[in-house]
């Protein structure tokens, strides 16, 4: 039989491996397979909310396959063992799959599967899903190749699939995989139908205010596309999102709606950057474990109480805490605030980015390893090439939540405090503070920021810093991707900072 191994590509539309398997079968049945791998769910970046979103997406995929005469077979076990068992019981001609750029664990898993396939005489056919190229020598012409791939016609879903008669395992729950209880009442629901509804709503109305609204957490939640978890699990393809954006741009341009056209242009640029950052992890699979620039190893040393306070939204900096509590309850946060909470953890609290990066990964329903770990390092100042972004947590609150509505919603201990004191409650007169049940600031953010800047400046002054930084820029720098640098257009220093609010 031909196996279609679904991983993070959970759809039947625009799915090259499924199309190829159905066409190549020549009388052989096709087995649509998803493997729930206990070792994957034991990794530090995986969580119950991600599994819940996955389970809903798998159920939707099964319905789509059923409409074409097939069913999704779910097996629980490690990939090599599952594939070997299927081969011995039924005979596998080939495994069809998309290339995946995931965490280090999935990188090692895919290598093990290819070794097994060579030994078993089973073909493995992997094709590109995103605009990410395997074994890329350099970024020359990267953007042109991305544009060509995204402009290619989308593949229709197969009209009918001759499905192999293979039983499915029972779907486990999160507890059976050892995942901790993970309540997330505001979590987005999984499944292609949910993703298509978001896509439609964004291009019909919600997206008009995208450019103006994306920076603030409250407005960003309403006016960003919210497609990120669906792109991460592949219930919608990147090409679908791109082509839907171009079609919407034509409609709104014909309607003379310049505001909507500019919003869609910004969205399209972020689709490019989505793949640009995943390409970084593809080229450096160890990115979640080691500093991109080795000079920064050991810079972040704190742990324990500071880590718990930050993760639990109890730093005493109201806007930071509101963002962390909102993320815990919804599984989503706009990009600027993701950058801020990571910057605060790394610079103000000197926490190890590997620990805090794993905390955030678990909290993000839309966790995409390629974007996540590249951004974690960028916001932590460990790339050696980007201008350090050390956010002022109080200023960000004033800028993005001037009236304090977001803080009052997520830090109810401060709801009764007058707006002038809301962002810095420690400065309020004692008779106004009363017994709020809210901690004082974990540190003086201005003193901590100065110390972080001094530490980074000291590292960069070392003559040994420059050669690795130049090599990193050549290999990973966006200028090699052929993409526009918005900071340069505005006459600002090139920082590599990017907004990725999908």
């Amino acid at each position: 039989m031909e196996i279609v191994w679904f991983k993070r590509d959970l759809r039947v539309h625009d799915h090259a491996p499924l199309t190829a398997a159905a066409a190549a079968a020549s009388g052989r049945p096709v087995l649509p397979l998803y493997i729930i791998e206990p070792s994957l769910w034991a990794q530090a970046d995986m969580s119950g909310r991600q599994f819940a979103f996955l389970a809903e997406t798998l159920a939707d995929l099964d319905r789509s396959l059923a409409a074409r005469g097939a069913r999704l077979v779910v097996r629980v076990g490690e990939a090599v063992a599952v594939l070997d068992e299927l081969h011995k019981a039924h005979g596998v001609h080939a495994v069809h799959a998309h290339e995946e750029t995931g965490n280090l664990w999935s990188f090692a898993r895919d290598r093990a599967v290819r070794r097994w396939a060579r030994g078993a005489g089973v073909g493995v056919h992997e094709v590109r899903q995103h605009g990410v190229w395997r074994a890329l020598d350099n970024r020359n012409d990267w953007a042109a190749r991305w544009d060509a791939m995204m402009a290619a016609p989308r593949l229709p879903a197969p009209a009918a699939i001759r499905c192999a008669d293979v039983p499915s395992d029972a779907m486990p729950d999160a507890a059976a995989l050892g995942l901790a209880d993970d309540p997330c009442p505001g979590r987005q629901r999984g499944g292609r139908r949910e993703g298509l509804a978001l896509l439609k709503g964004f291009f019909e109305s919600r997206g008009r205010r995208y450019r103006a609204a994306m920076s603030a957490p409250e407005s960003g939640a309403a006016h960003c596309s919210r497609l990120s978890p669906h792109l991460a699990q592949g219930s919608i393809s990147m090409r679908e999102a791109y082509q839907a954006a171009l079609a919407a741009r034509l409609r709104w341009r014909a309607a003379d709606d310049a505001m909507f056209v500019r919003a869609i242009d910004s969205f399209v640029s972020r689709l490019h950057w989505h793949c640009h950052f995943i390409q970084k992890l593809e080229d450096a699979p160890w990115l979640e474990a080691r500093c991109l620039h080795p000079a920064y190893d050991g810079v972040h040393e704190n742990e324990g109480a500071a880590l718990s306070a930050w993760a639990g939204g109890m730093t005493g900096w109201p806007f930071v805490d509101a963002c962390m509590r909102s993320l815990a309850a919804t599984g989503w946060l706009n990009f600027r605030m993701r950058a801020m909470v990571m910057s605060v953890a790394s610079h103000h609290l000197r926490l190890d980015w590997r620990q805090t990066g794993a905390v955030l990964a678990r909290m993000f329903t839309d966790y995409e390893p390629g974007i996540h770990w590249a951004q974690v390092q960028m916001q932590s100042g460990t790339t050696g090439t980007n201008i350090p972004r050390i956010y002022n947590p109080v200023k960000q609150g004033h800028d993005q939540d001037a009236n304090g509505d977001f803080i009052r919603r997520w830090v109810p201990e401060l709801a009764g405090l007058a707006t002038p004191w809301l962002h810095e409650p420690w400065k309020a007169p004692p008779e106004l503070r009363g017994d709020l049940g809210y901690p004082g600031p974990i540190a003086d953010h201005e003193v901590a920021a100065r110390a972080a800047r001094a530490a980074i400046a000291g590292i960069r002054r070392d003559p040994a810093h420059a050669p690795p930084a130049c090599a990193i820029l050549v290999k990973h720098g966006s200028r090699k991707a052929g993409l526009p640098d918005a900071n340069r257009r505005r006459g600002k220093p090139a920082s590599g900072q990017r907004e990725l609010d999908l």
Side-chain angles (χ1 to χ4, degrees), residues 220-485:
H223 297 286
C224 288
S225 76
R226 306 300 301 271
L227 288 171
S228 49
H230 298 280
L231 292 171
Q233 288 297 340
S235 56
I236 289 177
S237 75
M238 178 62 63
R239 183 156 47 198
E240 284 183 287
Y242 175 74
Q243 294 185 7
L246 295 190
R249 189 184 189 279
L250 286 175
R251 292 196 303 272
W252 290 114
R253 187 172 183 179
D256 201 26
D257 192 329
M259 182 178 179
F260 220 142
V261 169
R262 287 193 297 270
I264 292 171
D265 286 343
S266 293
F267 177 80
V268 168
S269 75
R270 282 149 182 82
L271 295 182
H272 283 83
W273 287 108
H274 166 282
C275 297
H276 163 73
F277 280 107
I278 296 176
Q279 184 74 58
K280 289 176 181 281
L281 186 62
E282 177 65 35
D283 295 341
W286 43 264
L287 205 60
E288 71 184 80
R290 308 202 308 262
C291 290
L292 189 60
H293 193 301
Y296 296 89
D297 283 325
V299 170
H300 307 109
E301 300 172 346
N302 274 352
E303 55 185 26
L307 177 62
S308 298
W310 172 82
M314 292 294 285
T315 65
W317 295 318
F319 191 58
V320 172
D321 293 341
C323 287
M324 293 300 290
R325 295 184 193 188
S326 169
L327 174 58
T330 68
W332 188 89
L333 193 63
N334 66 314
F335 176 79
R336 185 179 292 270
M337 295 340 7
R338 296 185 191 212
M340 180 196 69
V341 298
M342 191 67 224
S343 172
V344 165
S346 294
H347 298 305
H348 297 81
L349 301 180
R350 307 299 292 274
L351 292 166
D352 189 312
W353 59 267
R354 283 159 282 243
Q355 289 184 310
T356 52
V359 169
L360 289 178
R362 293 192 296 271
M363 296 174 81
F364 293 148
T365 306
D366 61 3
Y367 171 52
E368 173 58 71
I371 295 174
H372 180 72
W373 291 109
Q375 284 295 324
V376 161
Q377 291 222 34
M378 182 180 289
Q379 305 307 335
S380 300
T382 58
T383 65
T385 61
N386 303 102
I387 294 173
R389 291 291 295 260
I390 301 178
Y391 287 76
N392 182 321
V394 174
K395 182 180 183 299
Q396 286 297 310
H398 283 294
D399 289 349
Q400 309 301 339
D401 187 32
N403 294 327
D405 296 336
F406 185 73
I407 291 176
R408 288 190 175 89
R409 178 181 177 188
W410 294 108
V411 188
E413 304 98 303
L414 303 179
L417 201 59
T419 300
W421 308 112
L422 194 60
H423 296 279
E424 298 175 277
W426 57 90
K427 291 185 177 180
E431 63 271 18
L432 295 180
R433 288 201 305 268
D435 185 12
L436 297 173
Y438 182 69
I442 195 170
D444 183 317
H445 66 89
E446 293 177 337
V447 171
R450 286 196 295 271
R453 288 190 185 94
I456 293 172
I459 293 171
R460 291 194 170 205
R461 280 195 295 268
D462 188 334
H465 183 274
C470 290
I472 291 165
L473 192 61
V474 168
K475 185 174 182 63
H476 298 288
S478 61
R479 70 188 189 287
K480 289 289 183 182
L483 298 176
D485 189 320

